Amino acid sequence: MVCLACLLPLFLVPIINILPLLFDFIMGKIYRVFGWEYRKPERAPAACPYKPPTAPVSKAEADAEPNPADPVKPGNVDVKKD
């Protein structure tokens, strides 16, 4: 048995995907009533949110000391370096 809240996304995704097409269809009808021409706007294609680093990270850079902006570990707060 599956709860309705778990099934809700299965029904919402197709509806959300159809909304831009429905909007273009309705706007086309409204523009036609006024005698104008409705041109669909260009939509940007879906982009991948993950962008891999352009330059490979060398081992020397990975072993380097942390930047001052990096958070400090709890044990290193009061350690004095000379």
Coordinates of all heavy atoms in Angstrom, one line a residue:
M1 N 0.8 -1.2 0.0 CA 0.0 0.0 0.0 C 0.9 1.2 0.0 O 1.9 1.3 0.7 CB -0.9 0.0 1.3 CG -2.0 0.9 1.3 SD -3.4 -0.1 0.9 CE -4.7 1.0 0.8
V2 N 0.6 2.2 -0.8 CA 1.4 3.4 -0.9 C 0.5 4.6 -0.5 O -0.7 4.7 -0.9 CB 1.9 3.6 -2.4 CG1 2.7 4.9 -2.5 CG2 2.7 2.4 -2.7
C3 N 1.1 5.5 0.2 CA 0.3 6.7 0.6 C 0.1 7.7 -0.5 O 0.9 7.7 -1.5 CB 1.0 7.4 1.8 SG 2.5 8.2 1.4
L4 N -0.9 8.5 -0.5 CA -1.2 9.4 -1.5 C -0.1 10.5 -1.7 O 0.1 11.0 -2.8 CB -2.6 10.1 -1.3 CG -3.8 9.2 -1.5 CD1 -5.0 10.0 -1.1 CD2 -3.8 8.7 -2.9
A5 N 0.5 10.9 -0.6 CA 1.6 11.9 -0.7 C 2.7 11.4 -1.5 O 3.4 12.2 -2.1 CB 2.0 12.3 0.7
C6 N 3.0 10.1 -1.5 CA 4.1 9.5 -2.3 C 3.7 9.5 -3.7 O 4.6 9.5 -4.6 CB 4.4 8.1 -1.8 SG 5.0 8.1 -0.1
L7 N 2.5 9.3 -4.0 CA 2.0 9.2 -5.4 C 1.8 10.6 -6.1 O 1.8 10.7 -7.3 CB 0.7 8.4 -5.5 CG 0.8 6.9 -5.3 CD1 -0.5 6.3 -5.3 CD2 1.7 6.3 -6.3
L8 N 1.7 11.6 -5.2 CA 1.4 13.0 -5.8 C 2.4 13.4 -6.8 O 2.0 14.0 -7.8 CB 1.3 13.9 -4.6 CG 0.7 15.3 -4.9 CD1 -0.7 15.2 -5.5 CD2 0.8 16.2 -3.7
P9 N 3.7 13.3 -6.6 CA 4.7 13.7 -7.6 C 4.5 13.1 -8.9 O 4.8 13.6 -10.0 CB 6.1 13.4 -7.0 CG 5.8 13.3 -5.5 CD 4.4 12.8 -5.4
L10 N 4.1 11.8 -8.9 CA 3.9 11.1 -10.2 C 2.8 11.8 -11.1 O 2.9 11.8 -12.3 CB 3.4 9.7 -10.0 CG 4.5 8.8 -9.3 CD1 3.9 7.4 -9.0 CD2 5.7 8.6 -10.2
F11 N 1.8 12.4 -10.4 CA 0.8 13.1 -11.2 C 1.1 14.6 -11.4 O 0.7 15.2 -12.4 CB -0.5 13.0 -10.4 CG -1.0 11.6 -10.3 CD1 -0.9 11.0 -9.1 CD2 -1.5 10.9 -11.4 CE1 -1.4 9.6 -9.0 CE2 -1.9 9.6 -11.3 CZ -1.9 9.0 -10.1
L12 N 1.9 15.2 -10.5 CA 2.3 16.6 -10.7 C 3.3 16.9 -11.8 O 3.3 17.9 -12.5 CB 2.8 17.2 -9.4 CG 1.7 17.5 -8.3 CD1 2.4 18.0 -7.1 CD2 0.7 18.4 -8.8
V13 N 4.3 16.0 -12.0 CA 5.3 16.2 -12.9 C 4.8 16.4 -14.3 O 5.1 17.3 -15.0 CB 6.4 15.1 -12.8 CG1 7.4 15.2 -14.0 CG2 7.1 15.2 -11.5
P14 N 3.9 15.5 -14.8 CA 3.4 15.7 -16.2 C 2.6 17.0 -16.3 O 2.6 17.7 -17.3 CB 2.5 14.5 -16.4 CG 2.9 13.5 -15.5 CD 3.5 14.2 -14.3
I15 N 1.9 17.4 -15.2 CA 1.0 18.6 -15.3 C 2.0 19.8 -15.3 O 1.8 20.7 -16.1 CB 0.1 18.7 -14.0 CG1 -0.9 17.6 -14.1 CG2 -0.5 20.1 -13.9 CD1 -1.8 17.4 -12.9
I16 N 3.0 19.8 -14.6 CA 4.0 20.9 -14.6 C 4.7 21.0 -15.9 O 4.9 22.1 -16.4 CB 5.0 20.7 -13.4 CG1 4.4 20.7 -12.1 CG2 6.1 21.8 -13.5 CD1 3.7 22.0 -11.7
N17 N 5.0 19.9 -16.5 CA 5.7 19.9 -17.8 C 4.7 20.4 -19.0 O 5.2 21.0 -20.0 CB 6.2 18.5 -18.2 CG 7.4 18.1 -17.4 OD1 8.1 19.0 -16.8 ND2 7.6 16.8 -17.3
I18 N 3.4 20.3 -18.8 CA 2.5 20.7 -19.8 C 2.2 22.2 -19.7 O 1.7 22.8 -20.7 CB 1.2 19.9 -19.8 CG1 1.5 18.5 -20.2 CG2 0.1 20.4 -20.6 CD1 0.4 17.5 -20.1
L19 N 2.4 22.8 -18.5 CA 2.0 24.2 -18.3 C 2.6 25.2 -19.4 O 1.8 26.0 -19.8 CB 2.4 24.7 -16.9 CG 1.5 24.1 -15.8 CD1 2.0 24.6 -14.4 CD2 0.1 24.6 -16.0
P20 N 3.8 25.2 -19.8 CA 4.3 26.1 -20.8 C 3.6 25.9 -22.1 O 3.3 26.9 -22.8 CB 5.8 25.8 -20.9 CG 6.2 25.1 -19.7 CD 5.0 24.4 -19.2
L21 N 3.3 24.7 -22.5 CA 2.6 24.4 -23.7 C 1.2 24.9 -23.7 O 0.6 25.5 -24.6 CB 2.6 22.9 -24.1 CG 4.0 22.3 -24.2 CD1 3.8 20.8 -24.4 CD2 4.7 22.9 -25.4
L22 N 0.5 24.7 -22.5 CA -0.8 25.2 -22.3 C -0.9 26.8 -22.3 O -1.8 27.4 -22.9 CB -1.4 24.7 -21.0 CG -2.8 25.0 -20.7 CD1 -3.7 24.3 -21.7 CD2 -3.2 24.5 -19.3
F23 N 0.1 27.4 -21.7 CA 0.2 28.9 -21.7 C 0.3 29.4 -23.2 O -0.4 30.3 -23.6 CB 1.4 29.3 -20.9 CG 1.6 30.8 -20.9 CD1 0.8 31.6 -20.0 CD2 2.5 31.4 -21.7 CE1 0.9 33.0 -20.0 CE2 2.7 32.8 -21.7 CZ 1.9 33.6 -20.8
D24 N 1.2 28.8 -24.0 CA 1.4 29.2 -25.4 C 0.1 29.0 -26.2 O -0.3 29.9 -27.0 CB 2.5 28.4 -26.0 CG 3.9 28.8 -25.5 OD1 4.0 29.9 -25.0 OD2 4.8 28.0 -25.6
F25 N -0.6 27.9 -25.9 CA -1.8 27.7 -26.6 C -2.9 28.7 -26.3 O -3.5 29.3 -27.2 CB -2.4 26.3 -26.3 CG -3.7 25.9 -26.9 CD1 -3.7 25.6 -28.3 CD2 -4.8 25.9 -26.2 CE1 -4.9 25.2 -28.9 CE2 -6.1 25.6 -26.8 CZ -6.1 25.3 -28.1
I26 N -3.0 29.0 -25.0 CA -4.1 30.0 -24.6 C -3.7 31.4 -25.1 O -4.6 32.1 -25.5 CB -4.2 30.0 -23.0 CG1 -4.9 28.6 -22.6 CG2 -5.0 31.1 -22.5 CD1 -4.9 28.4 -21.1
M27 N -2.4 31.8 -25.0 CA -2.0 33.1 -25.4 C -2.2 33.2 -27.0 O -2.6 34.3 -27.5 CB -0.5 33.3 -25.1 CG -0.3 33.6 -23.6 SD -1.3 34.9 -22.9 CE -0.4 36.3 -23.7
G28 N -2.0 32.1 -27.7 CA -2.2 32.1 -29.1 C -3.7 32.4 -29.4 O -4.0 33.1 -30.4
K29 N -4.6 31.8 -28.7 CA -6.0 32.0 -28.9 C -6.4 33.4 -28.5 O -7.2 34.1 -29.3 CB -6.8 31.0 -28.0 CG -6.7 29.6 -28.4 CD -7.3 29.3 -29.7 CE -7.2 27.8 -30.0 NZ -7.8 27.5 -31.3
I30 N -5.9 34.0 -27.5 CA -6.2 35.4 -27.1 C -5.7 36.4 -28.1 O -6.4 37.3 -28.5 CB -5.6 35.7 -25.7 CG1 -6.3 34.9 -24.6 CG2 -5.7 37.2 -25.3 CD1 -5.7 34.9 -23.2
Y31 N -4.4 36.1 -28.6 CA -3.9 37.0 -29.6 C -4.7 36.9 -30.9 O -4.9 37.9 -31.6 CB -2.4 36.7 -29.9 CG -1.4 37.4 -29.0 CD1 -1.5 37.2 -27.6 CD2 -0.4 38.2 -29.5 CE1 -0.6 37.9 -26.7 CE2 0.5 38.8 -28.7 CZ 0.4 38.7 -27.3 OH 1.3 39.3 -26.5
R32 N -5.2 35.7 -31.2 CA -5.9 35.6 -32.5 C -7.2 36.3 -32.4 O -7.7 36.9 -33.4 CB -6.2 34.1 -32.7 CG -6.7 33.8 -34.1 CD -6.8 32.4 -34.4 NE -5.5 31.7 -34.2 CZ -5.4 30.4 -33.9 NH1 -6.4 29.7 -33.8 NH2 -4.2 29.9 -33.8
V33 N -7.8 36.4 -31.2 CA -9.1 37.2 -31.0 C -8.8 38.7 -31.4 O -9.7 39.3 -32.0 CB -9.6 37.0 -29.6 CG1 -10.7 38.0 -29.3 CG2 -10.1 35.6 -29.4
F34 N -7.7 39.2 -31.0 CA -7.4 40.6 -31.2 C -6.8 40.8 -32.6 O -6.5 41.9 -33.0 CB -6.4 41.1 -30.2 CG -7.1 41.3 -28.8 CD1 -6.7 40.5 -27.8 CD2 -8.1 42.2 -28.6 CE1 -7.3 40.6 -26.5 CE2 -8.7 42.3 -27.3 CZ -8.3 41.5 -26.3
G35 N -6.5 39.7 -33.4 CA -6.0 39.9 -34.7 C -4.5 40.0 -34.7 O -3.9 40.5 -35.7
W36 N -3.8 39.7 -33.6 CA -2.4 39.8 -33.6 C -1.7 38.4 -33.8 O -2.4 37.4 -33.8 CB -1.9 40.3 -32.2 CG -2.4 41.6 -31.8 CD1 -2.8 42.6 -32.7 CD2 -2.7 42.1 -30.5 NE1 -3.3 43.7 -32.0 CE2 -3.2 43.4 -30.6 CE3 -2.5 41.6 -29.2 CZ2 -3.6 44.2 -29.5 CZ3 -2.9 42.3 -28.1 CH2 -3.4 43.6 -28.3
E37 N -0.4 38.4 -34.0 CA 0.3 37.1 -34.1 C 1.1 36.8 -32.9 O 1.9 37.7 -32.4 CB 1.2 37.2 -35.3 CG 2.0 35.9 -35.5 CD 3.1 36.0 -36.6 OE1 3.2 37.1 -37.2 OE2 3.9 35.1 -36.7
Y38 N 0.9 35.7 -32.3 CA 1.6 35.3 -31.1 C 2.8 34.4 -31.5 O 2.6 33.4 -32.1 CB 0.7 34.6 -30.1 CG 1.4 34.1 -28.8 CD1 1.9 35.1 -27.9 CD2 1.8 32.8 -28.6 CE1 2.5 34.7 -26.7 CE2 2.4 32.4 -27.5 CZ 2.8 33.3 -26.5 OH 3.5 32.9 -25.4
R39 N 4.0 34.8 -31.1 CA 5.1 34.0 -31.4 C 5.6 33.4 -30.1 O 5.9 34.1 -29.1 CB 6.2 34.9 -32.0 CG 5.9 35.2 -33.5 CD 6.9 36.1 -34.1 NE 6.8 37.4 -33.5 CZ 7.6 38.4 -33.6 NH1 8.7 38.2 -34.3 NH2 7.4 39.6 -33.1
K40 N 5.8 32.1 -30.1 CA 6.3 31.5 -28.9 C 7.7 31.9 -28.6 O 8.6 32.0 -29.5 CB 6.3 29.9 -29.1 CG 4.9 29.4 -29.3 CD 5.0 27.9 -29.5 CE 3.7 27.3 -29.9 NZ 3.7 25.9 -30.1
P41 N 8.0 32.2 -27.3 CA 9.4 32.6 -27.0 C 10.3 31.4 -27.0 O 9.9 30.3 -26.8 CB 9.3 33.1 -25.5 CG 8.0 32.5 -25.0 CD 7.1 32.3 -26.2
E42 N 11.6 31.7 -27.3 CA 12.6 30.6 -27.3 C 12.8 30.2 -25.8 O 13.0 31.0 -25.0 CB 13.9 31.0 -27.9 CG 13.8 31.1 -29.4 CD 15.2 31.3 -30.0 OE1 16.2 30.8 -29.4 OE2 15.3 32.0 -31.0
R43 N 12.7 28.9 -25.6 CA 13.0 28.4 -24.2 C 14.4 27.8 -24.2 O 14.8 27.1 -25.1 CB 11.9 27.3 -23.9 CG 10.5 27.9 -24.0 CD 9.6 27.2 -23.1 NE 8.2 27.5 -23.4 CZ 7.6 28.6 -22.9 NH1 8.3 29.4 -22.1 NH2 6.4 28.9 -23.1
A44 N 15.0 28.0 -23.1 CA 16.4 27.5 -22.9 C 16.3 26.0 -22.6 O 15.4 25.5 -21.9 CB 17.1 28.2 -21.7
P45 N 17.2 25.3 -23.2 CA 17.2 23.8 -23.0 C 17.6 23.5 -21.6 O 18.3 24.3 -20.9 CB 18.2 23.3 -24.0 CG 19.1 24.4 -24.3 CD 18.2 25.6 -24.2
A46 N 17.3 22.4 -21.1 CA 17.6 22.0 -19.8 C 19.2 21.8 -19.7 O 19.8 21.3 -20.6 CB 17.0 20.6 -19.4
A47 N 19.7 22.3 -18.6 CA 21.2 22.3 -18.4 C 21.5 21.4 -17.2 O 20.7 21.2 -16.3 CB 21.7 23.7 -18.1
C48 N 22.7 20.8 -17.3 CA 23.1 19.9 -16.2 C 23.6 20.8 -15.1 O 24.5 21.6 -15.2 CB 24.3 19.0 -16.7 SG 24.9 17.9 -15.5
P49 N 23.1 20.5 -13.8 CA 23.6 21.4 -12.7 C 25.0 21.0 -12.2 O 25.6 21.8 -11.6 CB 22.5 21.0 -11.6 CG 22.0 19.7 -12.0 CD 22.1 19.6 -13.5
Y50 N 25.5 19.9 -12.6 CA 26.9 19.5 -12.2 C 27.9 19.9 -13.2 O 27.8 19.5 -14.4 CB 26.9 18.0 -11.9 CG 28.4 17.5 -11.7 CD1 29.0 17.8 -10.5 CD2 29.1 16.9 -12.7 CE1 30.3 17.4 -10.2 CE2 30.4 16.4 -12.4 CZ 31.0 16.7 -11.2 OH 32.3 16.3 -11.0
K51 N 28.8 20.7 -12.8 CA 29.9 21.1 -13.7 C 31.2 20.7 -13.2 O 31.6 21.2 -12.2 CB 29.9 22.7 -13.9 CG 28.6 23.1 -14.5 CD 28.7 24.5 -15.0 CE 27.3 24.9 -15.4 NZ 27.1 25.7 -16.5
P52 N 31.8 19.7 -13.9 CA 33.1 19.2 -13.4 C 34.2 20.3 -13.5 O 34.1 21.2 -14.3 CB 33.4 18.1 -14.3 CG 32.6 18.3 -15.5 CD 31.4 19.1 -15.1
P53 N 35.3 20.2 -12.6 CA 36.3 21.2 -12.7 C 37.0 21.2 -14.1 O 37.2 20.1 -14.7 CB 37.3 20.8 -11.6 CG 36.9 19.4 -11.3 CD 35.5 19.2 -11.6
T54 N 37.4 22.4 -14.6 CA 38.0 22.4 -15.9 C 39.5 22.0 -15.8 O 40.0 21.4 -16.8 CB 37.9 23.8 -16.5 OG1 38.5 24.7 -15.5 CG2 36.5 24.2 -16.7
A55 N 40.2 22.3 -14.7 CA 41.6 21.9 -14.6 C 41.7 20.8 -13.6 O 41.1 20.9 -12.5 CB 42.4 23.1 -14.2
P56 N 42.5 19.8 -13.9 CA 42.7 18.7 -12.9 C 43.4 19.2 -11.6 O 44.3 20.1 -11.7 CB 43.5 17.7 -13.6 CG 44.2 18.4 -14.7 CD 43.3 19.5 -15.1
V57 N 43.0 18.7 -10.5 CA 43.6 19.1 -9.2 C 44.8 18.3 -9.0 O 44.8 17.0 -9.0 CB 42.6 18.9 -8.0 CG1 43.2 19.3 -6.7 CG2 41.3 19.7 -8.3
S58 N 46.0 18.9 -8.8 CA 47.2 18.2 -8.6 C 47.3 17.8 -7.1 O 46.7 18.3 -6.3 CB 48.4 19.0 -9.0 OG 48.5 20.1 -8.1
K59 N 48.2 16.8 -6.9 CA 48.3 16.3 -5.5 C 48.9 17.3 -4.6 O 48.6 17.4 -3.4 CB 49.2 15.0 -5.5 CG 49.2 14.3 -4.2 CD 49.8 13.0 -4.3 CE 49.8 12.3 -2.9 NZ 50.0 10.9 -3.0
A60 N 49.8 18.2 -5.2 CA 50.5 19.2 -4.4 C 49.4 20.2 -3.9 O 49.5 20.7 -2.7 CB 51.5 19.9 -5.2
E61 N 48.4 20.6 -4.7 CA 47.4 21.5 -4.3 C 46.5 20.8 -3.3 O 46.0 21.5 -2.4 CB 46.6 21.9 -5.6 CG 47.3 22.8 -6.5 CD 46.5 23.1 -7.8 OE1 45.3 22.7 -7.8 OE2 47.0 23.7 -8.7
A62 N 46.2 19.6 -3.4 CA 45.3 18.9 -2.5 C 46.0 18.8 -1.1 O 45.3 18.8 -0.1 CB 45.0 17.5 -3.0
D63 N 47.3 18.6 -1.0 CA 48.0 18.5 0.2 C 48.4 19.9 0.9 O 48.9 19.9 2.0 CB 49.3 17.7 0.1 CG 49.0 16.3 -0.3 OD1 47.9 15.8 0.0 OD2 49.9 15.6 -0.9
A64 N 48.1 21.0 0.2 CA 48.5 22.3 0.7 C 47.7 22.6 1.9 O 46.6 22.0 2.2 CB 48.3 23.3 -0.4
E65 N 48.2 23.6 2.7 CA 47.5 24.0 3.9 C 46.1 24.7 3.5 O 46.0 25.2 2.4 CB 48.3 25.1 4.6 CG 49.6 24.5 5.2 CD 50.3 25.4 6.1 OE1 49.6 26.4 6.6 OE2 51.5 25.3 6.3
P66 N 45.2 24.6 4.4 CA 43.8 25.2 4.1 C 43.9 26.7 4.0 O 44.8 27.3 4.6 CB 43.0 24.7 5.3 CG 43.9 24.4 6.4 CD 45.2 24.0 5.7
N67 N 43.0 27.2 3.3 CA 42.9 28.7 3.1 C 42.4 29.3 4.4 O 41.8 28.7 5.2 CB 41.9 29.0 2.0 CG 42.3 28.6 0.7 OD1 43.5 28.5 0.4 ND2 41.4 28.4 -0.2
P68 N 42.7 30.6 4.7 CA 42.2 31.2 5.9 C 40.7 31.3 6.0 O 40.2 31.4 7.1 CB 42.8 32.7 5.8 CG 43.9 32.6 4.8 CD 43.6 31.4 3.9
A69 N 40.0 31.2 4.9 CA 38.6 31.3 4.9 C 38.0 30.0 5.2 O 36.8 29.9 5.5 CB 38.1 31.7 3.5
D70 N 38.8 28.9 5.2 CA 38.2 27.6 5.6 C 37.9 27.6 7.1 O 38.6 28.2 7.9 CB 39.2 26.5 5.3 CG 39.4 26.2 3.8 OD1 38.5 26.7 3.1 OD2 40.4 25.6 3.4
P71 N 36.9 26.8 7.5 CA 36.5 26.7 8.9 C 37.6 26.1 9.7 O 38.4 25.2 9.3 CB 35.3 25.9 8.9 CG 35.2 25.2 7.6 CD 36.0 26.0 6.7
V72 N 37.8 26.5 11.0 CA 38.8 26.0 11.8 C 38.3 24.8 12.6 O 37.1 24.8 13.1 CB 39.3 27.2 12.8 CG1 40.3 26.7 13.8 CG2 39.7 28.4 12.0
K73 N 39.1 23.8 12.8 CA 38.7 22.7 13.6 C 38.6 23.1 15.0 O 39.4 23.9 15.5 CB 39.7 21.5 13.4 CG 39.8 21.0 12.0 CD 40.8 19.9 11.8 CE 40.9 19.5 10.4 NZ 42.0 18.6 10.1
P74 N 37.8 22.5 15.8 CA 37.6 22.8 17.2 C 38.9 22.7 18.1 O 39.1 23.6 18.9 CB 36.5 21.9 17.7 CG 35.8 21.4 16.5 CD 36.8 21.5 15.4
G75 N 39.7 21.8 17.8 CA 40.9 21.6 18.6 C 42.0 22.6 18.3 O 43.0 22.8 19.0
N76 N 42.0 23.3 17.1 CA 43.0 24.2 16.6 C 42.8 25.7 16.9 O 43.5 26.5 16.4 CB 43.2 24.0 15.1 CG 43.7 22.6 14.8 OD1 44.3 21.9 15.7 ND2 43.5 22.2 13.6
V77 N 41.7 26.0 17.7 CA 41.4 27.4 17.9 C 42.4 28.1 18.7 O 42.8 29.2 18.3 CB 40.0 27.5 18.6 CG1 39.6 28.9 18.9 CG2 38.9 26.9 17.7
D78 N 42.9 27.6 19.8 CA 43.8 28.3 20.7 C 45.2 27.8 20.6 O 46.0 28.2 21.5 CB 43.3 28.1 22.2 CG 41.9 28.7 22.4 OD1 41.6 29.7 21.8 OD2 41.2 28.1 23.2
V79 N 45.6 27.2 19.5 CA 47.0 26.7 19.3 C 47.8 27.9 18.8 O 47.4 28.5 17.8 CB 47.0 25.5 18.4 CG1 48.5 25.1 18.1 CG2 46.2 24.3 19.0
K80 N 48.9 28.2 19.4 CA 49.7 29.3 19.0 C 50.9 28.7 18.2 O 51.6 27.8 18.6 CB 50.3 30.0 20.2 CG 51.0 31.3 19.9 CD 51.4 32.0 21.2 CE 52.0 33.3 20.8 NZ 52.4 34.1 22.1
K81 N 51.1 29.3 17.0 CA 52.2 28.9 16.1 C 53.3 29.9 16.2 O 53.0 31.1 16.0 CB 51.7 28.7 14.7 CG 50.7 27.6 14.5 CD 50.3 27.4 13.1 CE 49.3 26.3 12.9 NZ 48.9 26.1 11.6
D82 N 54.5 29.5 16.3 CA 55.7 30.4 16.3 C 56.6 30.1 15.2 O 56.8 29.1 14.8 CB 56.4 30.4 17.6 CG 55.7 31.0 18.8 OD1 55.0 32.0 18.5 OD2 55.9 30.6 19.9

